Amino acid sequence: TYDGINMTFNEEGNRLELSDNNLYYNCYNYILRSNIVISLIDESTGDKNLKELAKAEAKILRAWDHFILINTYAKAYNPETAKTDGGIAIMDKYDLESVPKKYTVDQVYNFIINDIETALPLLQSEPENVYHPSKAFGYALAAKVYLFHRDWEKAKLAAEESLKENNILIDYIELSNNGGPTVDKTYAKGGNPEILNYAY
């Protein structure tokens, strides 16, 4: 599969003969859902703060999906060539008539970083449930994006901010002493503090 050759960096694999996966379609499908919220929520009725939170959550998830796409289907970010390296289509609004065009790797990263930096101040430290992106997830995503973008200092600062929000690890000794994951259900179904994004 494409996932197999991408995960093992197999440059010999004949991509024409591989079975497809749904990553490309799924990411753009999720981006569409995020764009519906981002484009239409301001015109809806309801609490202003809740609408801002919904837009911020949609932006951080849109950034996540674009980040997955750029790092699966384009060259890695290289500051010397990023302005000319072909990237992916940026879908920045809900518009069924728009014709997607390919942007450069640099443009895609700038878009992702802008979405993250716009959303981060509005995310909650403790969202309503695990299916809403938290501030810890937002900072962790920022750290990873900055790392791939080769902005080492910002990556370090964002990682530290994420750890301030959530630095809890599973105690596997305690879990084992309690009978293991088949007996102790503490970490099942949204109880795992190490998982910051349940979107997938």
Side-chain angles (χ1 to χ4, degrees):
T1 66
Y2 288 114
D3 284 341
I5 64 168
N6 287 333
M7 292 298 290
T8 59
F9 301 97
N10 179 359
E11 295 181 8
E12 306 296 317
N14 183 348
R15 285 159 171 78
L16 294 176
E17 296 180 4
L18 293 171
S19 61
D20 199 359
N21 63 35
N22 292 326
L23 181 65
Y24 188 85
Y25 168 80
N26 285 342
C27 282
Y28 278 114
N29 193 32
Y30 295 140
I31 288 169
L32 169 65
R33 294 176 192 178
S34 293
N35 281 338
I36 290 171
V37 173
I38 294 164
S39 297
L40 302 177
I41 199 160
D42 288 338
E43 308 305 318
S44 67
T45 58
D47 179 67
K48 178 179 179 287
N49 293 331
L50 184 59
K51 292 196 292 185
E52 286 182 354
L53 173 61
K55 188 185 278 191
E57 290 180 352
K59 281 190 174 186
I60 206 77
L61 293 174
R62 180 173 74 177
W64 164 257
D65 285 307
H66 279 98
F67 181 67
I68 294 295
L69 288 165
I70 193 71
N71 284 287
T72 304
Y73 299 104
K75 288 184 177 180
Y77 181 87
N78 179 341
E80 296 175 7
T81 61
K83 286 185 174 15
T84 55
D85 286 338
I88 59 166
I90 295 174
M91 303 306 291
D92 62 348
K93 61 184 175 292
Y94 175 59
D95 180 0
L96 297 177
E97 302 300 321
S98 68
V99 178
K101 72 171 195 173
K102 184 163 49 170
Y103 289 81
T104 67
V105 170
D106 184 63
Q107 289 170 314
V108 176
Y109 266 91
N110 289 337
F111 175 78
I112 292 168
I113 289 168
N114 182 62
D115 261 2
I116 292 170
E117 291 178 350
T118 304
L120 260 176
L122 299 169
L123 295 177
Q124 296 175 317
S125 291
E126 295 183 20
E128 182 179 339
N129 59 52
V130 296
Y131 300 101
H132 291 265
S134 66
K135 205 172 273 286
F137 169 71
Y139 277 116
L141 176 59
K144 192 160 190 171
V145 170
Y146 291 138
L147 180 69
F148 280 52
H149 195 244
R150 301 187 188 187
D151 192 336
W152 317 124
E153 188 58 31
K154 282 188 175 180
K156 177 179 179 282
L157 292 172
E160 289 170 349
E161 288 300 318
S162 180
L163 288 169
K164 284 180 192 173
E165 294 287 333
N166 181 355
N167 65 358
I168 303 168
L169 297 174
I170 295 173
D171 184 338
Y172 284 100
I173 295 172
E174 181 182 347
L175 180 61
S176 178
N177 291 340
N178 291 341
T182 58
V183 175
D184 184 345
K185 304 295 186 190
T186 304
Y187 305 116
K189 295 186 179 177
N192 187 339
E194 295 180 13
I195 297 177
L196 301 180
N197 179 18
Y198 279 85
Y200 287 84

